[in-house]
Amino acid sequence: MGNQIVIIVGTFILLLTGLLLGYVLSQLVLGFLELNQLTIFGTFSLVVIFGTLYYVLFWQLGREQSRLRAQNRRDAVQEQTTTLITDSHLKNKLIAKLGGDVTAAEQLIQQARVNYPGMPENWYCERAIDDLEREQR
């Protein structure tokens, strides 16, 4: 929320400064303001303020984008890790139900893959466990 406030306030000040700078420059060009030290310094100050705000605003936007990309990467890694842990847990559960027979567990998972192609890996493990429980009843 803090970044959004900085962006909104920065945009407002940038717009206001741009309008003021445009007005002063147009008055100088049209001849309604005389060119002296005060108008030169004022115009230069407006240009510096405008440039600084423009830089800070886009720096802040870039930082927000980087933060969102990093958060998305962390979420993807977390999801992948959770999936791997779940898959491993389900395979271990299946192997335990088969009394430690790893080969039989892999065969049941492979049979589920053949019967139902295109499903996630953990689904095959769950299916093999369900089939095994159904056969044991």
Side-chain angles (χ1 to χ4, degrees):
M1 183 68 179
N3 290 339
Q4 292 175 342
I5 291 172
V6 169
I7 291 170
I8 290 169
V9 169
T11 302
F12 177 74
I13 295 172
L14 188 63
L15 179 67
L16 191 63
T17 307
L19 288 173
L20 188 58
L21 179 61
Y23 175 76
V24 168
L25 289 176
S26 70
Q27 296 305 307
L28 281 171
V29 169
L30 292 174
F32 296 127
L33 278 177
E34 61 182 64
L35 191 60
N36 57 30
Q37 274 187 325
L38 185 62
T39 55
I40 290 172
F41 179 71
T43 304
F44 179 73
S45 298
L46 285 172
V47 168
V48 168
I49 291 168
F50 188 81
T52 303
L53 282 171
Y54 189 79
Y55 174 78
V56 167
L57 184 63
F58 281 98
W59 174 74
Q60 186 70 21
L61 285 170
R63 215 173 112 196
E64 182 71 17
Q65 291 288 329
S66 296
R67 188 189 66 75
L68 288 174
R69 279 193 299 270
Q71 180 65 38
N72 289 342
R73 280 194 301 272
R74 280 193 300 273
D75 290 347
V77 167
Q78 179 67 28
E79 183 179 321
Q80 194 174 31
T81 303
T82 302
T83 301
L84 289 173
I85 290 170
T86 303
D87 288 351
S88 176
H89 173 71
L90 290 171
K91 282 184 182 179
N92 289 339
K93 185 177 175 181
L94 179 60
I95 292 167
K97 286 191 176 287
L98 290 169
D101 191 352
V102 178
T103 307
E106 290 296 330
Q107 288 174 349
L108 287 173
I109 293 170
Q110 186 59 35
Q111 185 61 43
R113 278 193 199 107
V114 170
N115 292 340
Y116 307 98
M119 301 302 283
E121 187 64 28
N122 63 344
W123 188 88
Y124 294 124
C125 292
E126 289 173 358
R127 181 67 189 204
I129 291 169
D130 289 344
D131 289 345
L132 187 62
E133 288 174 349
R134 201 172 16 258
E135 288 175 11
Q136 289 176 350
R137 284 188 231 157

